[in-house]
Amino acid sequence: MFRLDLQRLFLLLTTAAVLLTFANSYYVTYQVQKQLLIDSTLEANRVYAAKLAETTNNFLQNAQKQLAYSAKILSTDFDNESLRESETERLYQQSSFFNSVSIINSKAIITTVFPKTIPIKGLLLPENNRNPFNARKPLVSNPMVAPTGSYLMSISHPIFGMNEKYLGFITGSIYLHQNNVFFKLLSQHSYIDGSYIYVVDQNKELIYHINKKRIGEQIEGNHVIDSVIIGTSGSDKVVNSLGIPMLAGFAYIKRSGWGVVAQRPLENVMAELDVQLTEVVLKSLPLLFLILTIVLIASRYITKPLKALASQANHMYQNDAEQNILNIKSWYFEVHELKRAILSGLGTLKHKINQLNKDTNTDPLTGLYNRRSLDQLLEQWRELKQSFAVIAVDIDHFKVVNDLYGHDVGDEVLKHLSLLMKENCNENYIAFRNGGEEFLILLPSTKQADAHFFAEKLRVKIAQYNMPIAGNITVSLGISYWDSNSNDTIKITLKKADIALYQAKRQGRNCSILHS
């Protein structure tokens, strides 16, 4: 089964983390910048639309003031044709507000027009163009078709004579398909970024558009136009009549009831963002490559001692294994602790590494290790040159116990004695049942004097223990020591422990003898 080594795993994970972090940063930056750019574009268009609305409102106000001034002059001598002609010419010449100026009398007949080349003088206003005539108040009309056939809007002011007699009105016309001050006012907007403006009247008809062919077109299904013609101003996303998503700012022109909309294609805004972030990515690539290079170097440096420890783990029983592990540089905490644990394991009871299953290596009655386990452990210690002390234990007069109380009671005595030995042995001392009522205790790295002290302590506790039914019993103990540097074999050491045990028996039992 294929398994990644630590270096490749470390490199894979850190590289993935770096790339995912970079991708996440790019995504978050993109989303934040996108929203900021959309918001700033919407706000810029709103401000611009409001400014255009204010400027247009001022234009209409000034135009109406000029018409009001002329109406006041004409009210004193309305029937004076020369005065009417001079006043219409003055209005036309003094500014570029109007494409034409006309005066209509109280019978809805066009009495005067300038330029004079416009052939409408003497004509009766059509019924559908009589809104300024009937209103008898200052008015900005909706687009209409003039008697000449031109598509225009008009700004008008009524003329009243003595006793508030209605004499007619004076009007300035702006031809929506021709250049005029209105177009010049609105066409100052820059279109290089795809943005443009348009103006709609209360009927949702375009009265200004960069594409003059669309002037007069009625727009439906546009919520921005629906909002602006009812007098609201603001900004919003919208899909225009051509199906193009737009970022629109809109403002209401109070004096005329029109709405001005400044908008920019969302695609153009996003294209600008794409250019910016592409540049960011390109400038970030050198740093990204540098980070990945550092990650590669770091992965080798960090995993090198772990790889060395893993390699030595497969050769734990070689003679030079400990020295090889000592030579591994453990420059960070985890490797240091792992190295220390391995060295500690080599210096402690290595027999635990090779312990066989308890069912085949322990005595079924007492739960102590059996003779097979003893032989295996002693062979391991011989190979590892592990010095140890050995205590041979034998129950005094055990035959009497069996004869008096039966073998069942004798078995209980063996069990309780084994439990006492287990409880008094530390984690390094190991007790074995050698056969019958004979036991062995191995004490690794323990000198004879310490082993004798332990044996005496164990003997006293056994003598004080009240066995079930059998009562108090005693044991005799023999102690010997195997030095890994001596010429004696382990077998001789075990024999010495037996000799010391028999000596304890001869000296009256219930004592421990140290083999000299």
PDB file of all heavy atoms in Angstrom, residues 92-122:
ATOM      1  N   TYR A  92     -34.361  85.139 -28.732  1.00  0.00           N
ATOM      2  CA  TYR A  92     -33.655  84.138 -29.526  1.00  0.00           C
ATOM      3  C   TYR A  92     -32.167  84.458 -29.605  1.00  0.00           C
ATOM      4  O   TYR A  92     -31.308  83.565 -29.491  1.00  0.00           O
ATOM      5  CB  TYR A  92     -34.263  84.074 -30.923  1.00  0.00           C
ATOM      6  CG  TYR A  92     -33.570  83.078 -31.834  1.00  0.00           C
ATOM      7  CD1 TYR A  92     -33.890  81.720 -31.788  1.00  0.00           C
ATOM      8  CD2 TYR A  92     -32.588  83.495 -32.742  1.00  0.00           C
ATOM      9  CE1 TYR A  92     -33.260  80.820 -32.618  1.00  0.00           C
ATOM     10  CE2 TYR A  92     -31.947  82.591 -33.568  1.00  0.00           C
ATOM     11  CZ  TYR A  92     -32.281  81.252 -33.507  1.00  0.00           C
ATOM     12  OH  TYR A  92     -31.637  80.355 -34.324  1.00  0.00           O
ATOM     13  N   GLN A  93     -31.851  85.769 -29.780  1.00  0.00           N
ATOM     14  CA  GLN A  93     -30.468  86.167 -30.036  1.00  0.00           C
ATOM     15  C   GLN A  93     -29.627  86.249 -28.760  1.00  0.00           C
ATOM     16  O   GLN A  93     -28.418  86.014 -28.796  1.00  0.00           O
ATOM     17  CB  GLN A  93     -30.437  87.523 -30.755  1.00  0.00           C
ATOM     18  CG  GLN A  93     -31.082  87.518 -32.117  1.00  0.00           C
ATOM     19  CD  GLN A  93     -30.268  86.722 -33.144  1.00  0.00           C
ATOM     20  OE1 GLN A  93     -29.181  86.234 -32.859  1.00  0.00           O
ATOM     21  NE2 GLN A  93     -30.827  86.572 -34.346  1.00  0.00           N
ATOM     22  N   GLN A  94     -30.267  86.622 -27.648  1.00  0.00           N
ATOM     23  CA  GLN A  94     -29.456  86.909 -26.455  1.00  0.00           C
ATOM     24  C   GLN A  94     -28.899  85.648 -25.779  1.00  0.00           C
ATOM     25  O   GLN A  94     -28.002  85.737 -24.948  1.00  0.00           O
ATOM     26  CB  GLN A  94     -30.282  87.710 -25.438  1.00  0.00           C
ATOM     27  CG  GLN A  94     -31.317  86.906 -24.689  1.00  0.00           C
ATOM     28  CD  GLN A  94     -32.056  87.748 -23.648  1.00  0.00           C
ATOM     29  OE1 GLN A  94     -31.890  88.964 -23.584  1.00  0.00           O
ATOM     30  NE2 GLN A  94     -32.878  87.094 -22.840  1.00  0.00           N
ATOM     31  N   SER A  95     -29.439  84.517 -26.123  1.00  0.00           N
ATOM     32  CA  SER A  95     -28.925  83.265 -25.556  1.00  0.00           C
ATOM     33  C   SER A  95     -29.207  82.138 -26.541  1.00  0.00           C
ATOM     34  O   SER A  95     -29.933  82.306 -27.499  1.00  0.00           O
ATOM     35  CB  SER A  95     -29.586  82.965 -24.204  1.00  0.00           C
ATOM     36  OG  SER A  95     -30.929  82.605 -24.378  1.00  0.00           O
ATOM     37  N   SER A  96     -28.612  81.031 -26.243  1.00  0.00           N
ATOM     38  CA  SER A  96     -28.852  79.854 -27.087  1.00  0.00           C
ATOM     39  C   SER A  96     -29.826  78.896 -26.430  1.00  0.00           C
ATOM     40  O   SER A  96     -29.809  77.702 -26.669  1.00  0.00           O
ATOM     41  CB  SER A  96     -27.525  79.144 -27.374  1.00  0.00           C
ATOM     42  OG  SER A  96     -26.891  78.774 -26.154  1.00  0.00           O
ATOM     43  N   PHE A  97     -30.694  79.459 -25.562  1.00  0.00           N
ATOM     44  CA  PHE A  97     -31.641  78.614 -24.858  1.00  0.00           C
ATOM     45  C   PHE A  97     -32.612  77.921 -25.814  1.00  0.00           C
ATOM     46  O   PHE A  97     -32.933  76.759 -25.653  1.00  0.00           O
ATOM     47  CB  PHE A  97     -32.444  79.428 -23.839  1.00  0.00           C
ATOM     48  CG  PHE A  97     -31.687  79.711 -22.553  1.00  0.00           C
ATOM     49  CD1 PHE A  97     -30.340  79.384 -22.408  1.00  0.00           C
ATOM     50  CD2 PHE A  97     -32.326  80.299 -21.476  1.00  0.00           C
ATOM     51  CE1 PHE A  97     -29.665  79.642 -21.242  1.00  0.00           C
ATOM     52  CE2 PHE A  97     -31.655  80.555 -20.301  1.00  0.00           C
ATOM     53  CZ  PHE A  97     -30.311  80.235 -20.182  1.00  0.00           C
ATOM     54  N   PHE A  98     -33.108  78.702 -26.775  1.00  0.00           N
ATOM     55  CA  PHE A  98     -34.230  78.230 -27.586  1.00  0.00           C
ATOM     56  C   PHE A  98     -33.846  78.078 -29.051  1.00  0.00           C
ATOM     57  O   PHE A  98     -33.039  78.838 -29.576  1.00  0.00           O
ATOM     58  CB  PHE A  98     -35.413  79.195 -27.473  1.00  0.00           C
ATOM     59  CG  PHE A  98     -35.792  79.501 -26.046  1.00  0.00           C
ATOM     60  CD1 PHE A  98     -35.654  80.789 -25.543  1.00  0.00           C
ATOM     61  CD2 PHE A  98     -36.277  78.507 -25.217  1.00  0.00           C
ATOM     62  CE1 PHE A  98     -36.004  81.085 -24.240  1.00  0.00           C
ATOM     63  CE2 PHE A  98     -36.636  78.794 -23.922  1.00  0.00           C
ATOM     64  CZ  PHE A  98     -36.490  80.077 -23.411  1.00  0.00           C
ATOM     65  N   ASN A  99     -34.469  77.085 -29.706  1.00  0.00           N
ATOM     66  CA  ASN A  99     -34.340  76.949 -31.161  1.00  0.00           C
ATOM     67  C   ASN A  99     -35.310  77.867 -31.898  1.00  0.00           C
ATOM     68  O   ASN A  99     -35.090  78.204 -33.068  1.00  0.00           O
ATOM     69  CB  ASN A  99     -34.610  75.508 -31.590  1.00  0.00           C
ATOM     70  CG  ASN A  99     -33.543  74.563 -31.070  1.00  0.00           C
ATOM     71  OD1 ASN A  99     -33.771  73.802 -30.163  1.00  0.00           O
ATOM     72  ND2 ASN A  99     -32.332  74.637 -31.643  1.00  0.00           N
ATOM     73  N   SER A 100     -36.379  78.245 -31.201  1.00  0.00           N
ATOM     74  CA  SER A 100     -37.325  79.214 -31.765  1.00  0.00           C
ATOM     75  C   SER A 100     -38.130  79.833 -30.637  1.00  0.00           C
ATOM     76  O   SER A 100     -38.244  79.245 -29.551  1.00  0.00           O
ATOM     77  CB  SER A 100     -38.277  78.545 -32.770  1.00  0.00           C
ATOM     78  OG  SER A 100     -39.130  77.636 -32.103  1.00  0.00           O
ATOM     79  N   VAL A 101     -38.665  81.047 -30.903  1.00  0.00           N
ATOM     80  CA  VAL A 101     -39.491  81.758 -29.930  1.00  0.00           C
ATOM     81  C   VAL A 101     -40.785  82.169 -30.626  1.00  0.00           C
ATOM     82  O   VAL A 101     -40.755  82.700 -31.752  1.00  0.00           O
ATOM     83  CB  VAL A 101     -38.773  82.990 -29.353  1.00  0.00           C
ATOM     84  CG1 VAL A 101     -39.669  83.699 -28.338  1.00  0.00           C
ATOM     85  CG2 VAL A 101     -37.436  82.605 -28.722  1.00  0.00           C
ATOM     86  N   SER A 102     -41.917  81.917 -29.981  1.00  0.00           N
ATOM     87  CA  SER A 102     -43.219  82.211 -30.594  1.00  0.00           C
ATOM     88  C   SER A 102     -44.125  82.932 -29.607  1.00  0.00           C
ATOM     89  O   SER A 102     -43.957  82.796 -28.377  1.00  0.00           O
ATOM     90  CB  SER A 102     -43.914  80.930 -31.057  1.00  0.00           C
ATOM     91  OG  SER A 102     -43.074  80.201 -31.938  1.00  0.00           O
ATOM     92  N   ILE A 103     -45.070  83.712 -30.167  1.00  0.00           N
ATOM     93  CA  ILE A 103     -46.112  84.358 -29.357  1.00  0.00           C
ATOM     94  C   ILE A 103     -47.452  83.910 -29.896  1.00  0.00           C
ATOM     95  O   ILE A 103     -47.714  83.959 -31.103  1.00  0.00           O
ATOM     96  CB  ILE A 103     -45.992  85.887 -29.396  1.00  0.00           C
ATOM     97  CG1 ILE A 103     -44.633  86.339 -28.806  1.00  0.00           C
ATOM     98  CG2 ILE A 103     -47.147  86.540 -28.623  1.00  0.00           C
ATOM     99  CD1 ILE A 103     -44.389  87.836 -28.924  1.00  0.00           C
ATOM    100  N   ILE A 104     -48.323  83.451 -29.012  1.00  0.00           N
ATOM    101  CA  ILE A 104     -49.655  82.978 -29.387  1.00  0.00           C
ATOM    102  C   ILE A 104     -50.672  83.887 -28.696  1.00  0.00           C
ATOM    103  O   ILE A 104     -50.542  84.177 -27.481  1.00  0.00           O
ATOM    104  CB  ILE A 104     -49.860  81.508 -28.952  1.00  0.00           C
ATOM    105  CG1 ILE A 104     -48.931  80.580 -29.778  1.00  0.00           C
ATOM    106  CG2 ILE A 104     -51.307  81.090 -29.140  1.00  0.00           C
ATOM    107  CD1 ILE A 104     -47.560  80.448 -29.240  1.00  0.00           C
ATOM    108  N   ASN A 105     -51.686  84.331 -29.399  1.00  0.00           N
ATOM    109  CA  ASN A 105     -52.675  85.256 -28.819  1.00  0.00           C
ATOM    110  C   ASN A 105     -53.778  84.495 -28.111  1.00  0.00           C
ATOM    111  O   ASN A 105     -53.753  83.264 -28.035  1.00  0.00           O
ATOM    112  CB  ASN A 105     -53.235  86.198 -29.878  1.00  0.00           C
ATOM    113  CG  ASN A 105     -54.021  85.454 -30.952  1.00  0.00           C
ATOM    114  OD1 ASN A 105     -54.402  84.302 -30.772  1.00  0.00           O
ATOM    115  ND2 ASN A 105     -54.251  86.117 -32.089  1.00  0.00           N
ATOM    116  N   SER A 106     -54.770  85.211 -27.633  1.00  0.00           N
ATOM    117  CA  SER A 106     -55.842  84.616 -26.838  1.00  0.00           C
ATOM    118  C   SER A 106     -56.769  83.742 -27.664  1.00  0.00           C
ATOM    119  O   SER A 106     -57.628  83.049 -27.110  1.00  0.00           O
ATOM    120  CB  SER A 106     -56.651  85.722 -26.149  1.00  0.00           C
ATOM    121  OG  SER A 106     -57.209  86.598 -27.119  1.00  0.00           O
ATOM    122  N   LYS A 107     -56.616  83.783 -28.992  1.00  0.00           N
ATOM    123  CA  LYS A 107     -57.428  82.929 -29.848  1.00  0.00           C
ATOM    124  C   LYS A 107     -56.658  81.686 -30.303  1.00  0.00           C
ATOM    125  O   LYS A 107     -57.086  80.978 -31.211  1.00  0.00           O
ATOM    126  CB  LYS A 107     -57.910  83.719 -31.071  1.00  0.00           C
ATOM    127  CG  LYS A 107     -58.833  84.875 -30.697  1.00  0.00           C
ATOM    128  CD  LYS A 107     -59.262  85.640 -31.936  1.00  0.00           C
ATOM    129  CE  LYS A 107     -60.178  86.819 -31.575  1.00  0.00           C
ATOM    130  NZ  LYS A 107     -60.606  87.577 -32.779  1.00  0.00           N
ATOM    131  N   ALA A 108     -55.498  81.450 -29.687  1.00  0.00           N
ATOM    132  CA  ALA A 108     -54.638  80.294 -29.979  1.00  0.00           C
ATOM    133  C   ALA A 108     -54.038  80.356 -31.370  1.00  0.00           C
ATOM    134  O   ALA A 108     -53.726  79.335 -31.981  1.00  0.00           O
ATOM    135  CB  ALA A 108     -55.398  78.978 -29.792  1.00  0.00           C
ATOM    136  N   ILE A 109     -53.878  81.602 -31.881  1.00  0.00           N
ATOM    137  CA  ILE A 109     -53.258  81.800 -33.193  1.00  0.00           C
ATOM    138  C   ILE A 109     -51.815  82.263 -32.971  1.00  0.00           C
ATOM    139  O   ILE A 109     -51.533  83.120 -32.134  1.00  0.00           O
ATOM    140  CB  ILE A 109     -54.032  82.832 -34.012  1.00  0.00           C
ATOM    141  CG1 ILE A 109     -55.442  82.305 -34.299  1.00  0.00           C
ATOM    142  CG2 ILE A 109     -53.309  83.148 -35.324  1.00  0.00           C
ATOM    143  CD1 ILE A 109     -56.341  83.346 -34.972  1.00  0.00           C
ATOM    144  N   ILE A 110     -50.914  81.660 -33.728  1.00  0.00           N
ATOM    145  CA  ILE A 110     -49.494  82.049 -33.636  1.00  0.00           C
ATOM    146  C   ILE A 110     -49.336  83.373 -34.361  1.00  0.00           C
ATOM    147  O   ILE A 110     -49.447  83.453 -35.586  1.00  0.00           O
ATOM    148  CB  ILE A 110     -48.598  80.977 -34.268  1.00  0.00           C
ATOM    149  CG1 ILE A 110     -48.810  79.619 -33.563  1.00  0.00           C
ATOM    150  CG2 ILE A 110     -47.126  81.389 -34.178  1.00  0.00           C
ATOM    151  CD1 ILE A 110     -48.100  78.468 -34.226  1.00  0.00           C
ATOM    152  N   THR A 111     -49.077  84.433 -33.583  1.00  0.00           N
ATOM    153  CA  THR A 111     -49.002  85.775 -34.174  1.00  0.00           C
ATOM    154  C   THR A 111     -47.591  86.158 -34.571  1.00  0.00           C
ATOM    155  O   THR A 111     -47.393  86.921 -35.521  1.00  0.00           O
ATOM    156  CB  THR A 111     -49.538  86.828 -33.183  1.00  0.00           C
ATOM    157  OG1 THR A 111     -48.705  86.826 -32.007  1.00  0.00           O
ATOM    158  CG2 THR A 111     -50.975  86.518 -32.798  1.00  0.00           C
ATOM    159  N   THR A 112     -46.604  85.615 -33.833  1.00  0.00           N
ATOM    160  CA  THR A 112     -45.212  86.010 -34.086  1.00  0.00           C
ATOM    161  C   THR A 112     -44.317  84.798 -33.880  1.00  0.00           C
ATOM    162  O   THR A 112     -44.536  84.002 -32.965  1.00  0.00           O
ATOM    163  CB  THR A 112     -44.773  87.132 -33.127  1.00  0.00           C
ATOM    164  OG1 THR A 112     -45.757  88.171 -33.117  1.00  0.00           O
ATOM    165  CG2 THR A 112     -43.425  87.707 -33.534  1.00  0.00           C
ATOM    166  N   VAL A 113     -43.261  84.684 -34.707  1.00  0.00           N
ATOM    167  CA  VAL A 113     -42.303  83.591 -34.561  1.00  0.00           C
ATOM    168  C   VAL A 113     -40.940  84.061 -35.020  1.00  0.00           C
ATOM    169  O   VAL A 113     -40.815  84.855 -35.962  1.00  0.00           O
ATOM    170  CB  VAL A 113     -42.750  82.346 -35.365  1.00  0.00           C
ATOM    171  CG1 VAL A 113     -42.813  82.645 -36.841  1.00  0.00           C
ATOM    172  CG2 VAL A 113     -41.803  81.166 -35.103  1.00  0.00           C
ATOM    173  N   PHE A 114     -39.909  83.609 -34.322  1.00  0.00           N
ATOM    174  CA  PHE A 114     -38.526  83.871 -34.727  1.00  0.00           C
ATOM    175  C   PHE A 114     -37.722  82.609 -34.487  1.00  0.00           C
ATOM    176  O   PHE A 114     -37.873  81.987 -33.426  1.00  0.00           O
ATOM    177  CB  PHE A 114     -37.933  85.046 -33.936  1.00  0.00           C
ATOM    178  CG  PHE A 114     -36.660  85.576 -34.563  1.00  0.00           C
ATOM    179  CD1 PHE A 114     -36.730  86.613 -35.497  1.00  0.00           C
ATOM    180  CD2 PHE A 114     -35.416  85.019 -34.292  1.00  0.00           C
ATOM    181  CE1 PHE A 114     -35.578  87.101 -36.094  1.00  0.00           C
ATOM    182  CE2 PHE A 114     -34.276  85.489 -34.893  1.00  0.00           C
ATOM    183  CZ  PHE A 114     -34.352  86.537 -35.799  1.00  0.00           C
ATOM    184  N   PRO A 115     -36.952  82.190 -35.473  1.00  0.00           N
ATOM    185  CA  PRO A 115     -36.652  82.837 -36.776  1.00  0.00           C
ATOM    186  C   PRO A 115     -37.890  82.893 -37.690  1.00  0.00           C
ATOM    187  O   PRO A 115     -38.734  81.999 -37.637  1.00  0.00           O
ATOM    188  CB  PRO A 115     -35.582  81.930 -37.380  1.00  0.00           C
ATOM    189  CG  PRO A 115     -35.006  81.157 -36.210  1.00  0.00           C
ATOM    190  CD  PRO A 115     -36.139  80.976 -35.265  1.00  0.00           C
ATOM    191  N   LYS A 116     -37.881  83.889 -38.493  1.00  0.00           N
ATOM    192  CA  LYS A 116     -39.033  84.098 -39.365  1.00  0.00           C
ATOM    193  C   LYS A 116     -39.130  83.039 -40.452  1.00  0.00           C
ATOM    194  O   LYS A 116     -40.174  82.913 -41.116  1.00  0.00           O
ATOM    195  CB  LYS A 116     -38.955  85.486 -40.005  1.00  0.00           C
ATOM    196  CG  LYS A 116     -39.083  86.604 -38.974  1.00  0.00           C
ATOM    197  CD  LYS A 116     -39.009  87.965 -39.643  1.00  0.00           C
ATOM    198  CE  LYS A 116     -39.151  89.095 -38.622  1.00  0.00           C
ATOM    199  NZ  LYS A 116     -39.104  90.433 -39.261  1.00  0.00           N
ATOM    200  N   THR A 117     -38.072  82.276 -40.615  1.00  0.00           N
ATOM    201  CA  THR A 117     -38.080  81.245 -41.665  1.00  0.00           C
ATOM    202  C   THR A 117     -38.989  80.076 -41.310  1.00  0.00           C
ATOM    203  O   THR A 117     -39.273  79.231 -42.159  1.00  0.00           O
ATOM    204  CB  THR A 117     -36.654  80.717 -41.891  1.00  0.00           C
ATOM    205  OG1 THR A 117     -36.119  80.275 -40.638  1.00  0.00           O
ATOM    206  CG2 THR A 117     -35.767  81.816 -42.456  1.00  0.00           C
ATOM    207  N   ILE A 118     -39.421  80.041 -40.059  1.00  0.00           N
ATOM    208  CA  ILE A 118     -40.288  78.931 -39.634  1.00  0.00           C
ATOM    209  C   ILE A 118     -41.712  79.276 -40.065  1.00  0.00           C
ATOM    210  O   ILE A 118     -42.282  80.278 -39.601  1.00  0.00           O
ATOM    211  CB  ILE A 118     -40.218  78.731 -38.109  1.00  0.00           C
ATOM    212  CG1 ILE A 118     -38.770  78.423 -37.680  1.00  0.00           C
ATOM    213  CG2 ILE A 118     -41.168  77.619 -37.667  1.00  0.00           C
ATOM    214  CD1 ILE A 118     -38.562  78.336 -36.199  1.00  0.00           C
ATOM    215  N   PRO A 119     -42.296  78.506 -40.938  1.00  0.00           N
ATOM    216  CA  PRO A 119     -43.598  78.863 -41.557  1.00  0.00           C
ATOM    217  C   PRO A 119     -44.799  78.485 -40.704  1.00  0.00           C
ATOM    218  O   PRO A 119     -45.628  77.657 -41.086  1.00  0.00           O
ATOM    219  CB  PRO A 119     -43.575  78.071 -42.859  1.00  0.00           C
ATOM    220  CG  PRO A 119     -42.802  76.841 -42.518  1.00  0.00           C
ATOM    221  CD  PRO A 119     -41.762  77.264 -41.531  1.00  0.00           C
ATOM    222  N   ILE A 120     -44.915  79.112 -39.542  1.00  0.00           N
ATOM    223  CA  ILE A 120     -46.076  78.770 -38.691  1.00  0.00           C
ATOM    224  C   ILE A 120     -46.870  80.006 -38.299  1.00  0.00           C
ATOM    225  O   ILE A 120     -47.897  79.881 -37.613  1.00  0.00           O
ATOM    226  CB  ILE A 120     -45.613  78.024 -37.427  1.00  0.00           C
ATOM    227  CG1 ILE A 120     -44.654  78.891 -36.606  1.00  0.00           C
ATOM    228  CG2 ILE A 120     -44.996  76.675 -37.771  1.00  0.00           C
ATOM    229  CD1 ILE A 120     -44.311  78.284 -35.261  1.00  0.00           C
ATOM    230  N   LYS A 121     -46.386  81.176 -38.689  1.00  0.00           N
ATOM    231  CA  LYS A 121     -47.101  82.401 -38.321  1.00  0.00           C
ATOM    232  C   LYS A 121     -48.509  82.379 -38.912  1.00  0.00           C
ATOM    233  O   LYS A 121     -48.711  82.057 -40.077  1.00  0.00           O
ATOM    234  CB  LYS A 121     -46.341  83.626 -38.827  1.00  0.00           C
ATOM    235  CG  LYS A 121     -46.985  84.951 -38.416  1.00  0.00           C
ATOM    236  CD  LYS A 121     -46.135  86.131 -38.877  1.00  0.00           C
ATOM    237  CE  LYS A 121     -46.777  87.440 -38.483  1.00  0.00           C
ATOM    238  NZ  LYS A 121     -45.987  88.621 -38.915  1.00  0.00           N
ATOM    239  N   GLY A 122     -49.510  82.707 -38.071  1.00  0.00           N
ATOM    240  CA  GLY A 122     -50.900  82.730 -38.514  1.00  0.00           C
ATOM    241  C   GLY A 122     -51.612  81.403 -38.348  1.00  0.00           C
ATOM    242  O   GLY A 122     -52.843  81.319 -38.535  1.00  0.00           O
TER     243      GLY A 122
END
